[in-house]
Structure formats: structure tokens, C-alpha cells
Amino acid sequence: EVQLVQSGGGLVQPGGSLRLSCVASGFTFSNSWMGWVRQAPGKGLEWVANINQPGSVKKYVDSVEGRFTTSRDNAKNSLNLQMDTLRVDDTAVYYCARVDVFNNGWYDYWGQGILVTVSS
Amino acid sequence: AIQLTQSPSSLSASVGDTVTITCRTSQGISGALAWYQQKPGKAPKLLIYRASSLESGVPSRFSGSGSGTEFTLTISGLQPEDSAAYYCQHFNSYPITFGQGTRLEIK
């Protein structure tokens, strides 16, 4: 069974940092692109970032470029999102998700989501 | 960035009805479109990929169609458990974008 288990959310002040983690099981993690999608309270889904299998290609939405960094550790089946210089409008539930096995671009498995609140 | 516009933003229908949700893209994306269902407090669930392919385990009352710039999600024979928000997503190029969502209420 494919599982993505997230951790690391919480409350942080504007300008602060937070690191999210996502541990995968039930599939060969090193074979899959992975991604992050967020959802502000009461709002729709917003793509945040994707990372390729070895971690050498990373794509970001413009609004987080230069502030967020995604990485992965294939030996530990883990995906990370380092969020720096956080802003109030980064407040959202963050989901990690697996890109389909053929890397076409849809997300076939999702983590449970974790809330990040940026507030003073 | 490719913009995705869903319509309607919300709708209400009865058990057994058939409903259609439309997703229009600001430029052609061939069939690079997926549909998701999201229930309150839960992660999105993949329903349809490549515009018309049904994800394994998803009931056959869900179907997708379209190409180019106009796509539809159809739910036939609505069930109470179909009450949810539905989102389209393109994966033609970066940045990936989602539609704004359609909230479906079952009367």
C-alpha cells in the first residue's frame, strides 16, 4: 500500500522558517518524481514544487521561488520542503504527492496534509 | 502560465442525477488534464488522468472527455458520497495550475 506520511507543520512568525517532511512507503521512491501542493484556508489547490527522481531538477511556482527549497533523500524515502522568509499568505495546508509512475504529471497519491500557519 | 477556469463554481443536484463540470484552459494542452475529488478535511483524490482515463478503483459513473482547451467531468447517477469539491489540473508545462474548483452539493 502506498503511503505518504507528512510531518513538520506548525505556527511560525512572518519572516521565519519551517521544514516539512514526507516519508514514503509502499513503492520505489527513487523511481518517482514528487511534488508539493498547498491549499490556503477555504481556497483552492495551488501547485508549489516538483522534484525529479535524483533531485537534480526542481520546479517552483513563482511565488515561492528563492524562498522555498525542495529536496529528497532516496536512501530514507523522504521528501522535504524547506520554507524560508515565510509570509502570511503562505498559510495553508501543504500536501506532498507522488507524480504518476510514468512522470506524465498528475498526482496519483497524496499525503494527509499538514497545516502551516504564518502569523505574528 | 496556463489559466484553468471551471464552471460552474458550485452546483446542487439530486441522487441519481447526471452532472457535468467544465474546465477551460487559456491555451491548448492536448489531453494533459487530470480531475480530482476533495472532501472536507481530506487530501484530493485522483479521478481522471489524460482527460479521459479512469483511475483504478474509481467508480465508472465518473467520466472525463475533451481535448485542446475544453474538458468535462461527468458524474452519472449521483450518489450521496459524491458531495465534494472537484478540481481540474493541467500538466502540459510548468507552472502546473489547478482550476478554482467546483463544489457539488447533493440535495
Side-chain angles (χ1 to χ4, degrees):
Chain A
E1 179 193 7
V2 171
Q3 284 196 310
L4 299 171
V5 179
Q6 299 181 232
S7 60
L11 173 64
V12 62
Q13 292 189 336
S17 297
L18 207 58
R19 185 177 179 88
L20 305 184
S21 293
C22 172
V23 175
S25 61
F27 67 102
T28 305
F29 180 72
S30 59
N31 287 351
S32 290
W33 279 70
M34 298 293 295
W36 294 93
V37 175
R38 68 183 178 182
Q39 186 170 37
K43 302 298 184 181
L45 301 171
E46 180 184 32
W47 171 73
V48 174
N50 274 12
I51 183 170
N52 73 340
Q53 294 94 330
S56 57
V57 176
K58 304 173 186 183
K59 302 289 188 181
Y60 300 95
V61 68
D62 283 351
S63 59
V64 309
E65 183 82 56
R67 300 188 300 120
F68 290 12
T69 303
T70 189
S71 62
R72 62 193 295 162
D73 184 337
N74 288 339
K76 296 181 178 178
N77 289 350
S78 71
L79 175 71
N80 302 296
L81 185 67
Q82 176 68 39
M83 303 184 294
D84 297 321
T85 319
L86 281 159
R87 309 189 303 219
V88 171
D89 62 358
D90 293 319
T91 295
V93 173
Y94 285 74
Y95 296 98
C96 64
R98 187 184 85 167
V99 178
D100 71 279
V101 292
F102 299 108
N103 187 31
N104 290 281
W106 60 85
Y107 299 106
D108 57 2
Y109 289 95
W110 295 66
Q112 82 277 15
I114 199 149
L115 179 61
V116 171
T117 303
V118 185
S119 174
S120 54
Chain B
I2 298 173
Q3 308 299 318
L4 275 61
T5 303
Q6 288 183 231
S7 60
S9 296
S10 65
L11 74 158
S12 180
S14 300
V15 171
D17 285 353
T18 295
V19 298
T20 298
I21 299 168
T22 298
C23 179
R24 291 184 174 88
T25 62
S26 59
Q27 63 189 73
I29 60 168
S30 298
L33 191 98
W35 289 96
Y36 300 88
Q37 176 192 67
Q38 187 182 33
K39 297 184 178 181
K42 299 296 186 181
K45 173 187 174 183
L46 177 66
L47 298 175
I48 301 287
Y49 60 92
R50 285 200 191 114
S52 60
S53 296
L54 188 69
E55 172 70 349
S56 176
V58 174
S60 59
R61 64 180 180 273
F62 292 90
S63 64
S65 66
S67 65
T69 62
E70 186 160 328
F71 301 86
T72 59
L73 173 70
T74 300
I75 312 172
S76 304
L78 274 174
Q79 297 299 304
E81 61 266 30
D82 299 334
S83 178
Y86 293 85
Y87 295 91
C88 56
Q89 173 226 338
H90 89 81
F91 45 91
N92 183 72
S93 58
Y94 287 104
I96 291 166
T97 52
F98 289 85
Q100 81 278 15
T102 295
R103 298 196 180 278
L104 172 60
E105 175 199 358
I106 309 298
K107 295 176 190 171

